[in-house]
Amino acid sequence: MGIWGGFALWFQFPGGLAAKVAAVLVWCVPSIWAIRAGFGPVRRWHSLAVFGVLFVVMLIWWATITPQQDRVWADDVAQPLRAHIEGDRLVIDNVRDFQWRTEDDYDVRWQRREYDLSQVQSVDMVLSYWMGPTIAHTLVSFGFADGQQLVFSLEIRKEKTESFSALGGFFRKFEAVLVASDERDIVRVRSNVRGEDVYLYRLQGLSPDKMRALLQVYVDRAQQLEQEPRFYNTLTSNCTTVVFELMRSIVPGLPMDYRLLLSGYLADYAEDIGGLTPGVPFARLQQLGYINPRALRAGDAADFSQQIREGVPGIAVKGNAP
């Protein structure tokens, strides 16, 4: 409780560095008293009682910290996804289509795009490894018969002065935002600009109706986040757990698994439940699903999405084996 309170103050106490350090040091005093009182030869109940009262005050303060929509956001998460469906017509405002040269040099482009839901024909899982083999960022890409790809990604909504902190994600440091993007933006920035290792897998076993239902669920979640903002949580509400939650709404009975938390192994999980291309060993799926060389070769080409899928099992594009 003392450690949790210290981190809560560090990430949420208002003011600059000096104010945060002072708040944590002040909190350490009753915490240390309580530890000594609880484990010493003679328990001092008054010290434990004082700590208990202060911890309740801490929880009351914690409850006042609510997600916001009106901060000065970083450019790449500045616009909320707004979408609505009219029959078979999906209209999305603020589809992200940035032109990235470096992480700090880019052209800001948010576009209004329309998609024909009757033409959705594929769902791909994209895993981008940015912190070793156990942690990956999960994206879901919907393919349409006209060649368009629409990618959804749950992201932390950083302010302009913030950077990502996995630890801060446990302490209401960031709001969550659902980003819809062109693959030449959200995939290419990871493979070509940041140098992350990116893998693409075709998800199998989803009928066109279920693909459309999954897309509808993403739209519904975007509308929920616009109306009622939520905090990103590193453990319980992140880019992978939300994908699992949305998938489970259309495929009931998907089993829980530790690999939903260790997102770097999510493809192994998908393979075990029969969600990847059958008849191909997982090592081969992983080898052929590694898109970085093809993404670097494609650059900002108009057919970027087609090029990165060449050779990926289960995807019938030019260059793939039958």
Side-chain angles (χ1 to χ4, degrees):
M1 292 162 67
I3 292 171
W4 179 89
F7 278 117
L9 289 167
W10 177 257
F11 285 108
Q12 292 295 342
F13 194 79
L17 179 61
K20 293 178 182 294
V21 170
V24 172
L25 291 176
V26 169
W27 173 251
C28 283
V29 175
S31 299
I32 292 172
W33 284 351
I35 292 171
R36 292 180 61 187
F39 293 96
V42 179
R43 287 200 175 105
R44 296 179 175 84
W45 295 107
H46 63 279
S47 295
L48 293 171
V50 168
F51 176 78
V53 170
L54 292 176
F55 189 72
V56 169
V57 173
M58 170 81 73
L59 292 178
I60 293 172
W61 163 72
W62 183 253
T64 66
I65 302 171
T66 56
Q68 304 296 318
Q69 294 276 40
D70 57 352
R71 306 186 194 277
V72 182
W73 304 112
D75 290 336
D76 58 336
V77 291
Q79 301 297 329
L81 190 164
R82 294 189 176 95
H84 65 276
I85 294 175
E86 303 170 357
D88 285 335
R89 181 167 163 262
L90 168 63
V91 181
I92 300 182
D93 290 321
N94 299 328
V95 175
R96 205 180 80 188
D97 187 24
F98 282 26
Q99 171 65 43
W100 298 88
R101 289 173 289 275
T102 69
E103 285 196 73
D104 301 314
D105 181 16
Y106 49 81
D107 297 327
V108 176
R109 295 190 304 220
W110 297 94
Q111 299 178 341
R112 178 185 176 92
R113 295 190 181 181
E114 297 185 9
Y115 303 88
D116 185 348
L117 292 177
S118 68
Q119 298 299 306
V120 63
Q121 62 180 14
S122 66
V123 181
D124 295 328
M125 177 175 67
V126 181
L127 298 178
S128 185
Y129 292 78
W130 55 276
M131 194 175 72
T134 60
I135 301 297
H137 184 78
T138 305
L139 307 95
V140 174
S141 182
F142 292 86
F144 296 82
D146 62 2
Q148 290 190 90
Q149 292 287 150
L150 175 63
V151 188
F152 289 97
S153 172
L154 186 83
E155 309 258 342
I156 63 166
R157 203 171 190 191
K158 305 185 302 292
E159 297 178 57
K160 277 188 176 291
T161 57
E162 289 181 326
S163 57
F164 176 71
S165 164
L167 188 57
F170 287 102
F171 293 94
R172 299 183 176 178
K173 180 65 175 172
F174 309 107
E175 282 81 3
V177 63
L178 190 61
V179 173
S181 178
D182 189 289
E183 284 189 340
R184 287 188 298 173
D185 172 343
I186 206 164
V187 174
R188 193 171 74 88
V189 70
R190 286 172 164 79
S191 60
N192 295 24
V193 176
R194 298 176 187 169
E196 300 174 8
D197 291 321
V198 183
Y199 295 79
L200 186 146
Y201 303 91
R202 173 58 49 90
L203 295 181
Q204 305 290 346
L206 292 173
S207 67
D209 286 343
K210 286 189 175 180
M211 293 179 194
R212 176 171 175 156
L214 181 60
L215 189 47
Q216 173 74 64
V217 170
Y218 268 99
V219 170
D220 292 343
R221 176 53 61 90
Q223 292 171 339
Q224 291 170 9
L225 285 175
E226 183 182 5
Q227 296 168 6
E228 184 181 345
R230 298 182 184 181
F231 283 115
Y232 178 96
N233 185 282
T234 300
L235 184 63
T236 62
S237 182
N238 57 47
C239 62
T240 302
T241 58
V242 167
V243 169
F244 173 75
E245 175 192 341
L246 299 182
M247 284 290 295
R248 208 177 197 186
S249 68
I250 65 163
V251 186
L254 284 179
M256 295 293 293
D257 194 279
Y258 75 93
R259 289 169 291 189
L260 298 170
L261 300 179
L262 297 178
S263 53
Y265 303 119
L266 186 62
D268 304 69
Y269 169 80
E271 166 74 359
D272 285 349
I273 63 174
L276 301 185
T277 303
V280 183
F282 178 72
R284 186 67 172 163
L285 290 173
Q286 190 174 46
Q287 177 188 17
L288 296 175
Y290 182 61
I291 71 166
N292 286 56
R294 299 189 294 274
L296 290 169
R297 184 178 68 245
D300 193 33
D303 63 343
F304 175 86
S305 292
Q306 179 177 328
Q307 289 195 46
I308 64 174
R309 285 170 171 77
E310 290 179 1
V312 177
I315 301 180
V317 297
K318 184 179 179 180
N320 280 20

